[in-house]
Amino acid sequence: MTAPVPVLIMRGGTSKGAYFRAEDLPADPAERDRLLLAIMGSPDPRQIDGIGGGHPLTSKVAVISRSADPAADVDYLFLQVQVDKPIVSAEQPCGNILAGVGPFAIERGLVHIQDQKTAVRVRMVNTGALAIVTVPTPDGRVRYSGDTALSGVPGTAARIEVEFRDTAGSVAPGLLPTGRVRDDLDGVPATLIDNGMPVVLLNAAELGVTGYESPAQLEADHALRRRVEELRLIAGKLMGLGDVAATTVPKMCLVAPPAHGGALSTRMFIPHRVHASIGVLAAVSVGTAAAVPGSVCFLKDLPETIRLEHPTGFYDVVIDVDAAGAEITVGRSAIVSTARLLLDGQVHPRTQEEFDHG
Ligand code: NQM
């Protein structure tokens, strides 16, 4: 029998994940990943024998420990547990799950409450970037309830502020990994960018769609999915990421003019399923592209708060980009999120023998 493992299940932004203290998981990455596959119930499209939700947005893991970096309180390693493949990937960060890392660090006593609000300094292990997650902590404990609405999440919750630093070239080599603002992907103009998440931006119209389709409609279009994947494989090589066939980056973002008063409409392939809303760091990368003249989604009069439309509403990002001169400089970026503690308990993973008997 495999020993039960202490876990918090939390909604972080528009995603849901299992949050662990690093010390509660095996130190050896291969052993850790085997255990996480068992815990989440992968590989299985329904993850029926584990706590994953059968979708990439609900098959996420955060591993958190005290940080040795004086600039950070905690280290946060994000792991994407693939739903239907026995793969655990550390290649990408996740800004949605990050929103729950602040509350987790406080709940588990890794960070002490400071006042009405507690700022948790998080080193994002996947990329080395730093994030400050500010959590409401009146009455000496984390407050989860509040009046902040997040498109894609029913109801409201307490406001969590997240500020990102050093996100340019998080996974790819540089903000514009090819050194160009615009590339040609097999005849399709594209902007390849990484300000926190490697993203390939394409105008939806170039692929014969409007960019206002629902995720289900886009996922049902097999020719489109094949074409998006073809272009992603080309882009991965150009971005210095090598063969990306088995990885979750780069993400593919179809952009279109705004339809609901925002700055830009987006549909994000992550990379095979279509996001129900938009990833946080992916949104930071898209907002940054909108500020760079010559990009496929450049917006001349960009407001300070960039409102990105997505399938279930909108997402606001504030980005400090100076693209006026020859050099593009990127400062901090900020977003507002929410998180909620759903479960504090122990998970009982299946054993390898039980899985092998299936
Ligand atoms: O871009 C999904 C999510 C994400 C990533 C994905 C994210 C981010 O929404 O920072 O949050 O793109 O795989 O959880």
Side-chain angles (χ1 to χ4, degrees), residues 297-319:
C297 62
F298 174 59
L299 296 170
K300 199 158 163 281
D301 298 309
L302 202 61
E304 196 191 332
T305 299
I306 306 169
R307 175 157 289 191
L308 299 175
E309 298 175 2
H310 61 63
T312 43
F314 61 85
Y315 201 73
D316 287 341
V317 292
V318 177
I319 297 158

Side-chain angles (χ1 to χ4, degrees), residues 15 57 60 80 92 94-96 197 251 270 275 279-282:
S15 285
L57 297 178
K60 296 179 170 253
Q80 179 72 52
Q92 71 162 87
C94 179
N96 270 311
M197 184 72 80
K251 313 288 179 186
I270 62 168
H275 207 301
V280 171
L281 286 154

Side-chain angles (χ1 to χ4, degrees), residues 12-16 56-58 60 76 78 80 92-98 124 164 196-197 199 248-249 251 268-271 275-285 315:
T14 54
S15 285
K16 186 154 58 178
L57 297 178
T58 51
K60 296 179 170 253
Y76 152 52
F78 170 70
Q80 179 72 52
Q92 71 162 87
C94 179
N96 270 311
I97 289 299
L98 170 68
M124 301 175 68
F164 294 105
M197 184 72 80
V199 176
T248 57
V249 285
K251 313 288 179 186
M268 188 70 77
F269 285 72
I270 62 168
H275 207 301
S277 50
I278 189 168
V280 171
L281 286 154
V284 171
S285 287
Y315 201 73

